[in-house]
Amino acid sequence: MLGNLEVIIGEKGSGLTSTLREKYSPLQETNKIPFIIFVHKKTFDEANEKTKKIYTDSNAQVVSSAAEMYSHINFYKIEKNKDGRVSKVSQYQQIFIDGIHNFGDLSVIALLDSAAYHGKKVVAAGNLTPKDSGFPYPIMPALIAKADNVTVLSKNENLEIITGCMFSSKSQKLARKLNDLKSKNYNVLAFKHALDVERFKEKETFIRGQSNDPYGFEAHPVSKVEEIEEFIRNYNKKKIDCIGIDEINFFQEKELLRADMPEEIYNLVCCQKSQKNQNFNYLSPYEIIERDGKKEVYFKKPKIQSLIEKLVKEGVKVIVSGLDTDYRGEPWEWFTLFCMESTINKSTAQCSEEGCLNPATRTMRLTYDSNSKNYKKSEYNEERVQVGTNIEFQQHIYTSKCREHHCIEYPGDSYIFNPKIVYPF
């Protein structure tokens, strides 16, 4: 069975708990599909008496770490099939989590991702940031990036995000939206990262889907955020109504910001530092630097996000498109943008595995092996950005896969990052 990871996001009071309850209530009524509900201890403690009763009546498990959650999920029952053979069957096929933002343990991301890779349906609900703070909860950006689909309850129509795996029509959707706005007399500007020019020379100044797509939108190739800022400064035509940015995942420049952040964010980040297993700290949008025996927490903010925040604040509609994860299934640097109020469209392709009809949410890279004269799956530790297409006779070929068929080579100690074995089910 194909697993799935869904994240429901919104502000406090936006109906997260009730939306999550709508997901599992039908299962309670039919009692046919085994499922389990978790709620973070902080979320439970802060809930009103009515909500606490709902949790209690639903037999929700109150937890505060990945280890506690895993001890409940990794429970098997013994069944006999028609032939009399005995087999282990996972007790729970669906998993629901409320208050996911309150987990400081980043291995929770790996746990839920692994559960989805093992065929379980996972639905997690949480807030993006403490109210009006601008600082995302540490677990949320990577969790949203790895999710197969996202439900947004608190939307900002001035920021649209189109994301997903390769060949899921992200650029095509962006071009169509920009053309639609232009036809309504909006003054629209578009930019694309210059690295994309290396893939299709004929697409150099256009945002399109495939190379033969007749519909496109003229875009300005740029390599840095500063080039976009300079272009906007020197733009002497009428007011800009909308800006589109394609291949946003290639804008990887970050700046470390040390500002007054909410105490709960500081404590959650420091919790990551104190975890015995720190293998997943790379998923955090924060960095801890110790000076004179004191911990200083910095926000690793993408420069492209600072520009987008400024544009949205000025009333400019911004639409961006880009990959949510790389060929390894890991988030790109722009993932904190998911925690801005926006509409998020997770695009899917069709799995390229022969005979598979599942939706593809992952990008897989194949690398040409000169010894075998054939393509093999790429290794985890290879260089992250390698320009390629789905056209053969290149050094690198990219394709789209579902969770079941997405795979890479995990040499040496990097097996810890393999979602199919890091948490055995």
Side-chain angles (χ1 to χ4, degrees):
M1 184 175 72
L2 184 68
N4 182 73
L5 172 57
E6 178 182 355
V7 180
I8 305 170
I9 54 178
E11 294 179 347
K12 193 171 184 178
S14 61
L16 285 168
T17 300
S18 59
T19 303
L20 184 68
R21 192 163 65 247
E22 289 172 4
K23 299 279 185 178
Y24 64 73
S25 290
L27 302 179
Q28 290 177 317
E29 295 170 4
T30 59
N31 202 28
K32 290 183 178 179
I33 299 176
F35 68 97
I36 187 168
I37 304 167
F38 294 103
V39 56
H40 191 277
K41 186 179 185 304
K42 187 171 186 289
T43 304
F44 183 85
D45 290 343
E46 292 177 349
N48 57 41
E49 292 305 315
K50 181 181 178 181
T51 304
K52 283 182 179 178
K53 187 176 186 308
I54 292 172
Y55 288 140
T56 304
D57 291 346
S58 301
N59 197 28
Q61 304 299 313
V62 181
V63 296
S64 56
S65 70
E68 289 178 85
M69 204 183 298
Y70 184 55
S71 67
H72 288 283
I73 300 173
N74 191 33
F75 180 74
Y76 291 87
K77 59 182 178 180
I78 305 299
E79 285 188 355
K80 286 186 178 181
N81 59 23
K82 294 179 180 178
D83 300 327
R85 295 178 182 176
V86 176
S87 60
K88 286 200 312 180
V89 179
S90 178
Q91 178 71 23
Y92 303 113
Q93 295 178 23
Q94 299 197 20
I95 303 164
F96 301 89
I97 310 103
D98 199 5
I100 190 68
H101 59 282
N102 282 320
F103 286 91
D105 182 359
L106 289 171
S107 61
V108 168
I109 301 172
L111 171 60
L112 301 185
D113 195 36
S114 182
Y117 268 103
H118 283 84
K120 299 181 186 297
K121 180 179 179 181
V122 183
V123 186
N127 304 140
L128 296 173
T129 66
K131 190 169 178 61
D132 300 326
S133 74
F135 291 97
Y137 284 103
I139 199 173
M140 296 306 290
L143 186 66
I144 296 171
K146 284 175 171 281
D148 299 286
N149 50 299
V150 179
T151 300
V152 184
L153 301 183
S154 305
K155 297 182 180 180
N156 181 351
E157 300 297 337
N158 267 357
L159 175 57
E160 293 187 43
I161 299 173
I162 304 168
T163 188
C165 63
M166 287 186 72
F167 312 112
S168 61
S169 303
K170 300 181 304 298
S171 296
Q172 188 178 55
K173 289 177 181 177
L174 173 60
R176 286 179 176 176
K177 283 180 176 289
L178 297 180
N179 276 314
D180 182 56
L181 289 170
K182 187 176 180 180
S183 70
K184 296 175 181 176
N185 295 321
Y186 279 69
N187 188 26
V188 182
L189 282 180
F191 301 90
K192 63 182 294 185
H193 199 283
L195 191 61
D196 193 48
V197 173
E198 296 183 35
R199 290 203 299 156
F200 298 113
K201 297 297 182 183
E202 69 272 22
K203 286 177 59 181
E204 183 170 345
T205 58
F206 281 88
I207 296 173
R208 288 197 183 115
Q210 301 301 317
S211 57
N212 61 352
D213 185 357
Y215 302 102
F217 195 93
E218 187 172 4
H220 304 279
V222 292
S223 300
K224 295 181 178 180
V225 175
E226 289 79 5
E227 293 177 43
I228 300 178
E229 294 173 328
E230 184 180 2
F231 190 95
I232 293 173
R233 274 196 305 269
N234 297 331
Y235 189 73
N236 55 10
K237 295 183 181 180
K238 61 181 182 179
K239 176 181 175 292
I240 302 171
D241 298 310
C242 175
I243 287 180
I245 303 173
D246 195 22
E247 306 293 351
I248 193 172
N249 49 284
F250 290 136
F251 292 95
Q252 300 183 50
E253 305 96 333
K254 298 188 293 280
E255 50 190 349
L256 289 179
L257 299 181
R258 182 172 179 261
D260 293 330
M261 63 179 64
E263 185 179 356
E264 72 175 304
I265 294 292
Y266 180 86
N267 291 337
L268 284 170
V269 176
C270 292
C271 166
Q272 298 162 15
K273 187 74 174 179
S274 62
Q275 292 293 328
K276 292 181 181 178
N277 186 348
Q278 296 184 30
N279 289 308
F280 304 105
N281 281 352
Y282 72 99
L283 294 172
S284 175
Y286 296 97
E287 184 172 323
I288 297 177
I289 300 176
E290 295 194 21
R291 289 194 176 95
D292 301 326
K294 293 183 178 180
K295 293 179 180 179
E296 296 180 354
V297 176
Y298 290 82
F299 178 33
K300 297 182 288 188
K301 189 173 186 178
K303 288 185 177 180
I304 192 69
Q305 180 176 342
S306 297
L307 171 61
I308 290 172
E309 286 178 346
K310 178 175 178 291
L311 291 170
V312 171
K313 192 174 181 179
E314 292 173 353
V316 179
K317 184 178 181 65
V318 180
I319 311 175
V320 304
S321 70
L323 296 169
D324 48 8
T325 57
D326 59 20
Y327 77 98
R328 300 171 297 188
E330 304 295 2
W332 290 89
E333 281 75 3
W334 70 287
F335 65 168
T336 53
L337 201 64
F338 292 130
C339 289
M340 287 180 63
E341 274 196 23
S342 63
T343 61
I344 300 176
N345 177 352
K346 282 266 186 173
S347 292
T348 60
Q350 182 172 318
C351 182
S352 62
E353 192 75 12
E354 186 176 355
C356 181
L357 299 176
N358 290 326
T361 60
R362 294 293 181 267
T363 299
M364 183 170 165
R365 187 168 78 196
L366 301 173
T367 301
Y368 186 74
D369 181 18
S370 57
N371 294 324
S372 64
K373 307 257 185 238
N374 208 341
Y375 285 93
K376 64 177 184 178
K377 55 187 177 183
S378 297
E379 293 188 356
Y380 184 90
N381 294 325
E382 287 183 14
E383 188 175 340
R384 188 185 201 187
V385 177
Q386 299 279 12
V387 177
T389 67
N390 61 344
I391 303 170
E392 290 191 12
F393 308 116
Q394 296 200 24
Q395 184 65 26
H396 301 284
I397 290 179
Y398 288 90
T399 184
S400 52
K401 297 285 186 181
C402 66
R403 281 182 176 272
E404 182 181 351
H405 294 117
H406 175 256
C407 58
I408 58 176
E409 195 68 40
Y410 290 92
D413 294 338
S414 63
Y415 74 90
I416 187 66
F417 303 110
N418 186 345
K420 297 181 181 179
I421 65 172
V422 64
Y423 279 99
F425 285 95

